Amino acid sequence: MPVTQQRLLDAMDGIAMILDRELRIVQIGEPNWQKFLDDNPPPDPAARARAKQSVLGRPVTEFIAGEAVRATFAELFNSVLGGTRAVVRIDYRCDAPTQRRDMRLSVRPVTADGEVRHLLYQSVLLWAQQRPAIPLFGVPVADQDDDDILTLCAICARVAWPIGAPRGAQEWIEPADYYQRGGSEIALISHGFCEDCFARLKEED
């Protein structure tokens, strides 16, 4: 039986995808994608049935929240396509309300005839631990940035505090500290970068 590209994707850990030169999703590793849907079901049952088809052909950056985060990740991915980076490798947090999860994203070139034609995008779970619920991690993410919306760092998951303060006047605190500082229940969050994580991203090689 020949080993096809789909079979290789299906055998990989985590969420594995092939992106084209426009960063569009063209293939997905099936078993772990299905597990992701089982663990994170869409609110609309009909949406689950079309979930895979609904992402194919769309840029992966559409699924990255926060304008600065989208732009930075697109720049990093395009640097691999252009050959100025051999790989992008980013360790980040992606918590659930009752679970801390440490993840690793890697993006590598896929060559054909000596040219980079696609990217292999792979996000894997490194470590997970149950903990008391932090409701922030169950709040929907806003499509657009807004200074009046609570911002979480897309890498370390710390919170910009206080909400609505000028960027230079905010500090980045742990999510559990948000409630200890008197933070209220919120309807939406946004994603951005704390200064430390942004500096590390710019140095990433």
Side-chain angles (χ1 to χ4, degrees):
M1 179 181 296
V3 179
T4 63
Q5 182 168 281
Q6 185 62 54
R7 289 183 182 276
L8 288 173
L9 283 175
D10 290 348
M12 290 180 176
D13 288 340
I15 301 297
M17 302 185 291
I18 297 294
L19 311 180
D20 67 13
R21 292 191 61 84
E22 283 70 46
L23 304 182
R24 294 175 299 209
I25 302 168
V26 294
Q27 276 184 283
I28 298 173
E30 300 275 1
N32 286 333
W33 176 256
Q34 187 59 51
K35 183 177 185 305
F36 174 79
L37 292 179
D38 292 341
D39 293 344
N40 303 275
D44 175 10
R48 178 171 178 165
R50 61 177 184 269
K52 178 190 170 184
Q53 293 304 320
S54 69
V55 303
L56 293 178
R58 293 169 62 185
V60 70
T61 48
E62 284 189 15
F63 306 98
I64 297 174
E67 295 166 12
V69 180
R70 279 194 296 274
T72 301
F73 276 50
E75 178 184 343
L76 289 169
F77 298 171
N78 281 316
S79 70
V80 179
L81 282 169
T84 57
R85 294 178 188 267
V87 61
V88 167
R89 186 181 296 108
I90 300 168
D91 289 350
Y92 67 102
R93 280 179 63 177
C94 182
D95 289 17
T98 60
Q99 189 178 59
R100 171 171 175 152
R101 296 185 296 212
D102 289 354
M103 312 285 292
R104 173 169 292 161
L105 170 66
S106 62
V107 177
R108 300 175 180 275
V110 178
T111 60
D113 301 324
E115 295 183 16
V116 178
R117 301 290 180 88
H118 294 87
L119 296 176
L120 172 63
Y121 173 111
Q122 187 177 21
S123 183
V124 298
L125 176 67
L126 299 177
W127 179 80
Q129 183 181 50
Q130 294 297 121
R131 54 114 198 278
I134 299 179
L136 283 179
F137 293 111
V139 174
V141 180
D143 290 334
Q144 301 294 327
D145 293 349
D146 189 323
D147 290 339
D148 294 327
I149 294 177
L150 182 69
T151 300
L152 271 64
C153 177
I155 305 299
C156 68
R158 289 186 296 171
V159 175
W161 178 262
I163 302 172
R167 297 295 172 99
Q170 289 179 320
E171 61 177 314
W172 293 87
I173 63 175
E174 289 298 319
D177 293 338
Y178 168 76
Y179 297 103
Q180 295 175 3
R181 300 282 186 102
S184 61
E185 296 298 319
I186 57 174
L188 288 172
I189 61 173
S190 182
H191 285 163
F193 294 120
C194 71
E195 293 80 3
D196 292 342
C197 288
F198 187 71
R200 284 197 295 272
L201 278 179
K202 288 301 183 180
E203 295 170 357
E204 201 280 334
D205 193 349

